[in-house]
Amino acid sequence: MTTTQFDVVLLGEPLVEVSTTEVFRHGADGVLGVSGDVVNAGAAAAAAGASVALVARVSDDELGDAVCRRIRELGIDDTYIRRVPGQQGVYFLHIDPEGNRQFSYARAGSVGSQLDVADLPVGVIEHAGAVLGGGIAAALSPTLARTMLHVAQHSGRFVYDPNFRPRLTTADQARDFLQNIAPYCEVMVPSAPSEIELLLGTDDPASAAASLMGWGARSVVVTQGSEGSSIFAEEGRSHQPVIPALQVIDQTGAGDVFAGTLTARLALGDDLREAAAMAAAAASLSVGGRGGTGLIAPLDEIRRHSERYLSERVAT
């Protein structure tokens, strides 16, 4: 009998992050970090109690060393990260005092964007408790899009975050990929209102979910910022209220933390509503740190934050 090797497996491109609180200019002070959607989500999944592995490519130089070292520090297994010659993907991030962000990417032709089906470790995807993929990786190259679809088809439980980025792909291309991958998705996690409006032509979560489930997705969780999230499954619709942040320093990666926590808790046996509540609490805490993995709260803190909010709601 084959057993699950990892609770959660992710694939995508880890990035070197250079962040600054100053406007981009010569001489601006910056902080070097490691981030990217797959790193943020993987760190959140590990913090939520899951055993986590990452399938990726990174450069075989000092930047790649730093990426792998940070990934291990975050509790993510790097056994299946291939070290190859070439350019490591990098992005630059400006954060203003209100926590708003401005990004600039240097990832065209990067080693991470060339991940292919041949890079997939034998049996790891098939035996994972859940696999998390996203639209950023799928938009990076035809090889990664092909690999993402292959993984969805061979995973027992596949979660997909559309994570639409107009700088990487068009809405039409992203929509076509959604239709192709939806039949293999246990859960899709789009955001509202802008993402579903661009990809699905509606700002209504119920209409968006109906489209995605009509294409074959078994359930949909639509994140709605300050309005919480709406959960759609065969048994009906429910709502997860927003859990207020204790402080807001930087919103980078909050959606990734939500998706990573949701995937981890599903793999560990929570139902969809329970997993969404934990994901909301984790994402709420994450905006109190700087950078995509600046504040990844441990499981006991996530639970306390969720329970504190619930008790405050009851009291009022």
Side-chain angles (χ1 to χ4, degrees), residues 11 55 57 82 114-122 125-126 142-151 153-154:
L11 73 157
V55 178
R57 285 184 170 204
R82 285 193 60 192
Q114 302 309 309
L115 187 74
D116 207 340
V117 173
D119 295 311
L120 298 175
V122 176
I125 297 299
E126 293 83 352
T143 60
L144 236 171
R146 178 172 63 242
T147 305
M148 187 72 68
L149 186 58
H150 176 92
V151 166
Q153 292 168 337
H154 290 83

Side-chain angles (χ1 to χ4, degrees), residues 17-25 28-31 91-105 167 249-252 290-291:
E17 172 191 86
V18 180
S19 64
T20 178
T21 56
E22 304 178 41
V23 175
F24 291 144
R25 62 174 178 79
D29 290 331
V31 175
Y91 76 95
F92 301 86
L93 168 65
H94 165 236
I95 311 159
D96 70 19
E98 283 73 45
N100 297 312
R101 302 153 295 159
Q102 177 183 353
F103 295 90
S104 182
Y105 292 91
R167 290 189 180 187
I249 293 175
D250 178 10
Q251 300 175 61
T252 302
R290 179 177 174 185

